[in-house]
DNA sequence: TGTATCACG
DNA sequence: ACGTACGTGATACAT
């Protein structure tokens, strides 16, 4: 058994502390090697022996990832390239030969030196690289300032053309930001792309947008330049334009060299995982769409929000006056410690839940005290109103770009462990909708032109459909195939009544159960959410699994797979590693089991949405439509369009999304349109 | 900087 | 006898 031999060879020389079992998994599941071995307090081990065994096992690329020494102190292993890469400052006079070299290479790595954020940044220089020891820095004289460094942008025209040449591939540490920065300078980056962060994310989704330095350490590149050493941090941060050309060369040229150097190792790892297609055909096309969405932004009615803010200020003040009167004194309602003291000590209310540090005052705890004291409902209202005011009503208008009157979010593609996108600065994926005040905030998202409309397309019940597909459960699949109300179907089964006898309350409870399944439910969690006893909750779960026995079998098989492989996968083969799945700590292990259950469901839904985005964007391009994709909110896409194109957009989005993938159950997309993100009227429902 | 809370899917 | 739902990001407060 070759694996046994590897284990023996390694553990004979390594102090592993009860890790021999995991080590087998690690060797099977290549990415953990560096990380996990490194965390095992290596004393010494026989690198030669391990390397030859890995060769024998047909995993030669792993050899480069074996820890190179027993050293715990130096980040620089002896056989790692430690000399500074040879960096050149280039001038337009050298351009012809440089362009020829890069063209001949077929692809190269690009880094951008710019003052300010990617989208609005002012270009200071470009770094190009083809490997650890070959990089160039092109200083660009700013048109706006009288800075004498570098040549004016016009003189770099051959470079602009090279960047726009589709037959030459372009690689970057963060390609989306590079695209946006270059677009701001009038450059259309073309050519097959590669992104180090995305590649590392597909190799291991725990990586969460690592720094270039971390990437280069993990993927055996040269040490990355220390950004802070050049540009400082915090309020002392300097702009790249304040660097000398030599400093900029060392920083940006060194970064590009680093990114270029690790590409081969990342590609080899993706090839081993069979994930090249995920990068090339899924994530990189999505990256381009996200760049367009970020650059375009979404229009916000800031005046509307400012008007709402003024009324909320009054409302909050009134609530505070009344709460202080009821408390008999003033206090800070935003301070959980003051609040706990007031409610549980002074007013004698019974605390129900605990936090790590004390007695909880969260909405659920307060809700259970609603009838106990008149101050409680006021507090709940104060919480809600201040939350919405500070997070959305007051924050969003400040983020409207003066140039276009629109808000530009960042869509993060390498953050969520499941493969979902996230949105930040501002987060436009958590705009309120559940309360009336929340919906007023949502109504301030409007089309870019007054005569245009918003169109929303959302997958109906996508995660439950994915569950039906992955589990092959007959009953669940049949319910979707027939177009039944699945929560009502669940209620009918769990409560043993006929479908038309299901009460609204029974359906609500069944819906909670269905969501619980997606999260890896427990009777405790279910009882807490439904406000029922754990015995009743257990009974619900028993009846659920008796009905949906395919789901039960599937959930157990996922747990087993996770234990055996150390990872779980989505429908497209995206992985999530779960290092704690075999933990001896029950709590830790069960947390991993819930992640194991949820990830293939949430992650497959994310995969499908990404396919839907690509297909829809492609169809919009091909049709010459004026409509534009604005936002993605996990199962929903939001567009803006001239009204005469609403129908064709709805058709394209419906087809693009519903036919993104073929499951054993139909995919259903609901389309709506309207003057803002709140007031959307149904257009049609697409089934595929 | 960490904790609690709460906005969304 | 335990004692938690999955995935995110922003804000206010306490330290």
């Amino acid at each position: 058994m070759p694996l046994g031999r590897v284990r023996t060879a390694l553990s004979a020389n390594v102090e592993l502390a009860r890790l021999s079992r995991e080590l087998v998994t690690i060797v099977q599941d290549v990415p953990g090697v560096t990380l996990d071995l490194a965390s095992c307090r290596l004393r010494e081990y026989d690198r030669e022996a391990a390397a030859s065994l890995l060769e024998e096992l047909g995993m030669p690329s792993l050899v480069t990832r074996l820890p190179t020494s027993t050293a715990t102190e130096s980040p620089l292993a002896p056989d790692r390239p430690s000399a500074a890469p040879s960096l050149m400052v280039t001038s337009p006079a050298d351009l012809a030969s440089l362009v020829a070299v890069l063209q001949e290479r077929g692809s190269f790595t690009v880094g951008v030196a710019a003052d300010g954020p990617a989208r609005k940044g002012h270009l200071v220089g470009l770094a190009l690289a083809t490997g650890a020891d070959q990089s160039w820095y092109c200083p660009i004289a700013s048109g706006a300032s009288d800075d004498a460094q570098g040549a004016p942008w016009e003189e770099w025209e051959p470079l602009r053309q090279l960047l726009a040449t589709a037959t030459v591939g372009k690689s970057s540490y963060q390609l989306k930001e590079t695209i946006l920065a270059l677009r701001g300078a009038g450059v259309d980056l073309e050519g097959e792309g590669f992104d180090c962060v995305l590649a590392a994310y597909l190799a291991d989704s725990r990586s969460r947008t690592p720094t270039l330095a971390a990437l280069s350490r993990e993927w055996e590149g040269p040490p990355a330049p220390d950004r802070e050493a050049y540009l400082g941090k915090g309020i002392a941060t300097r702009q790249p334009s304040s660097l000398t050309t030599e400093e900029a060369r060392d920083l940006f040229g060194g970064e590009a060299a680093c990114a270029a150097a690790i590409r081969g190792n990342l590609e080899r790892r993706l090839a081993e995982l069979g994930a090249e297609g995920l990068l090339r055909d899924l994530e990189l096309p999505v990256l381009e769409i996200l760049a367009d969405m970020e650059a375009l932004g979404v229009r916000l009615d800031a005046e509307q929000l400012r008007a709402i803010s003024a009324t909320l200020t009054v409302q909050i003040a009134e609530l505070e006056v009344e709460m202080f009167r009821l408390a008999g004194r003033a206090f800070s309602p935003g301070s959980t410690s003051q609040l706990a003291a007031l409610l549980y000590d002074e007013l004698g209310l019974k605390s129900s839940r605990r936090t790590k540090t004390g007695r909880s005052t969260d909405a659920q705890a307060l809700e259970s005290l609603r009838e106990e004291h008149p101050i409680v409902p006021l507090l709940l209202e104060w919480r809600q109103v201040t939350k919405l005011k500070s997070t959305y009503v007051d924050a969003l208008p400040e983020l409207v770009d003066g140039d276009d009157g629109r808000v530009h979010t960042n869509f993060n593609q390498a953050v969520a462990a499941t493969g979902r996108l996230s949105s930040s600065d501002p987060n436009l994926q958590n705009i309120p909708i559940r309360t009336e005040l929340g919906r007023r905030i949502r109504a301030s998202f409007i089309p870019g032109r007054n005569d245009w409309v918003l169109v929303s397309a959302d997958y109906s019940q996508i995660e439950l459909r994915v569950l039906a597909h992955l589990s092959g459960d007959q009953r669940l699949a049949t319910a979707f195939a027939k177009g039944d109300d699945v929560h009502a179907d669940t209620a009918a089964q769990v409560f043993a009544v006929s479908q038309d006898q299901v009460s609204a309350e029974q359906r609500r409870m069944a819906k909670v159960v269905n969501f619980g399944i997606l999260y890896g439910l427990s009777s405790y969690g279910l009882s807490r959410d439904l406000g029922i006893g754990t015995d009743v909750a257990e009974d619900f779960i028993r009846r659920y699994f008796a009905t949906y026995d395919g789901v039960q079998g599937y959930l157990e098989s996922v747990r087993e797979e996770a234990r055996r492989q150390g990872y779980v996968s989505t429908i497209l083969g995206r992985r999530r590693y779960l290092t704690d799945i075999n933990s001896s700590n029950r709590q830790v292990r069960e947390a991993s089991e819930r992640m194991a259950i949820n990830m293939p469901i949430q992650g497959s839904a994310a995969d499908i949405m990404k396919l839907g985005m690509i297909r829809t964007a492609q169809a919009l391009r091909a049709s010459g439509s004026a409509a534009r994709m604005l936002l993605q909110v996990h199962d929903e896409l939001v567009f803006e369009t001239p009204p005469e194109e609403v129908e064709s957009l709805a058709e394209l989005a419906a087809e693009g999304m519903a036919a993104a993938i073929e499951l054993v159950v139909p995919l259903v997309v609901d389309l709506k349109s309207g003057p803002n993100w709140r007031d959307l009227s149904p257009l049609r429902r697409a089934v595929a």
Side-chain angles (χ1 to χ4, degrees), chain A residues 284-357:
Chain A
L284 287 170
V286 165
L287 180 149
E288 301 218 12
I289 295 167
L290 296 179
D292 289 343
M293 292 163 74
E294 290 183 9
L296 181 56
V298 55
R299 185 174 169 206
L300 191 72
D301 187 345
E303 283 317 304
Q304 184 59 42
L305 287 178
R306 292 201 176 92
I308 294 173
S309 179
T311 72
L312 296 186
T313 302
V314 175
Q315 188 186 350
I316 290 164
E318 288 170 353
L319 284 167
E320 286 172 355
V321 167
E322 187 61 10
M323 287 192 297
F324 297 164
R325 190 184 68 77
L326 289 166
R329 64 176 178 88
F331 62 98
S332 300
S335 162
T336 48
S337 56
Q338 283 191 38
L339 209 52
L342 175 71
L343 295 174
Y344 304 129
D345 298 331
E346 286 184 46
L347 301 179
L349 299 172
K350 284 272 274 282
S351 81
S352 52
R353 299 152 46 78
R354 295 195 55 79
T355 66
K356 204 180 293 183
T357 55

Side-chain angles (χ1 to χ4, degrees), chain A residues 443-500:
Chain A
S444 68
F445 286 80
I446 55 177
R449 297 173 49 149
N450 292 337
D451 53 345
W452 283 28
V453 296
L454 293 186
V455 168
S456 156
D458 73 283
Y459 282 114
S460 165
Q461 312 262 33
I462 187 162
E463 292 194 349
L464 279 176
R465 288 173 200 273
V466 165
L467 175 64
H469 175 85
L470 293 175
S471 69
D473 183 272
Q474 273 307 313
R475 172 139 205 127
L476 198 53
T478 304
F480 278 123
K482 293 199 312 200
D484 280 359
D485 176 337
V486 171
H487 298 316
D489 183 72
T490 302
Q493 289 303 308
V494 170
F495 295 106
V497 297
S498 67
Q499 276 248 18
D500 48 6

